[in-house]
Amino acid sequence: WDEVKDRVHSKVVNISSKSLGVIALDGDHEEKTFQLVKIDDPVPVEVTQEFATVSDGQDRVDLHCRESTRPEDQIEVHESKEIGDAVLEFRSALPAGSPVSITLKLRPDGLLEVHGRDLTTGGEVHATFQTDSVLTQEVVEEAKSHVAALRIS
């Protein structure tokens, strides 16, 4: 009976079919894909993570946006696929360890909004990339209709 009640009270939500992230250096100074949005996250979803500059005198950060089917926080770069790139240029050269905020926002239409912000000088970059990381509205509506049609006998 509990299983039947669970099905009747089911709610259909759109989820991310892929994990989305950016390439950054890990604690061992090796390039990894840091996945901010995770596979199966409900959509829309917005995640912000703080990173830092690596070198003294750094005047920009290249944001390499990636997608994968892996759920982990960090994966090898070759385990992810390129979505697109953006460049965050700093207003002045920064020392190593300067904070940089990266926000990924996945919208229900599959658009990935990327916002990078240099927290020291205030420089910003915005970019938008089309992904196939969400269910189409048609598939979501079909699933809702299927759930609504369930009957208890």
Side-chain angles (χ1 to χ4, degrees):
W1 177 246
D2 287 337
E3 184 178 329
V4 172
K5 286 192 324 191
D6 288 345
R7 288 185 187 264
V8 170
H9 297 296
S10 292
K11 180 179 177 184
V12 175
V13 295
N14 203 346
I15 60 170
S16 177
S17 63
K18 297 187 179 155
S19 294
L20 304 166
V22 294
I23 295 176
L25 297 180
D26 68 6
D28 296 325
H29 296 282
E30 293 182 23
E31 281 193 341
K32 302 283 185 183
T33 298
F34 285 73
Q35 303 195 120
L36 282 66
V37 173
K38 303 288 183 12
I39 194 167
D40 292 336
D41 277 351
V43 175
V45 60
E46 182 173 336
V47 181
T48 301
Q49 187 167 332
E50 199 170 291
F51 296 91
T53 56
V54 177
S55 308
D56 284 331
Q58 195 167 333
D59 62 358
R60 66 187 254 172
V61 170
D62 296 322
L63 302 176
H64 301 290
C65 300
R66 314 283 291 185
E67 68 180 13
S68 83
T69 56
R70 305 282 306 269
E72 299 89 353
D73 291 341
Q74 294 178 35
I75 61 171
E76 300 295 328
V77 172
H78 72 271
E79 296 176 304
S80 61
K81 182 179 114 179
E82 181 180 334
I83 298 173
D85 297 321
V87 177
L88 171 57
E89 296 193 16
F90 305 147
R91 293 183 177 156
S92 60
L94 299 176
S98 298
V100 175
S101 173
I102 307 297
T103 300
L104 299 186
K105 179 179 181 181
L106 182 60
R107 299 183 352 193
D109 59 5
L111 285 178
L112 177 65
E113 296 178 4
V114 180
H115 177 230
R117 186 163 188 268
D118 152 26
L119 299 177
T120 303
T121 69
E124 294 184 82
V125 64
H126 295 271
T128 303
F129 305 107
Q130 182 63 54
T131 73
D132 60 357
S133 297
V134 296
L135 299 174
T136 65
Q137 191 60 34
E138 180 180 311
V139 171
V140 171
E141 292 304 321
E142 190 176 294
K144 285 180 180 178
S145 295
H146 176 73
V147 168
L150 291 175
R151 299 283 180 248
I152 300 173
S153 54

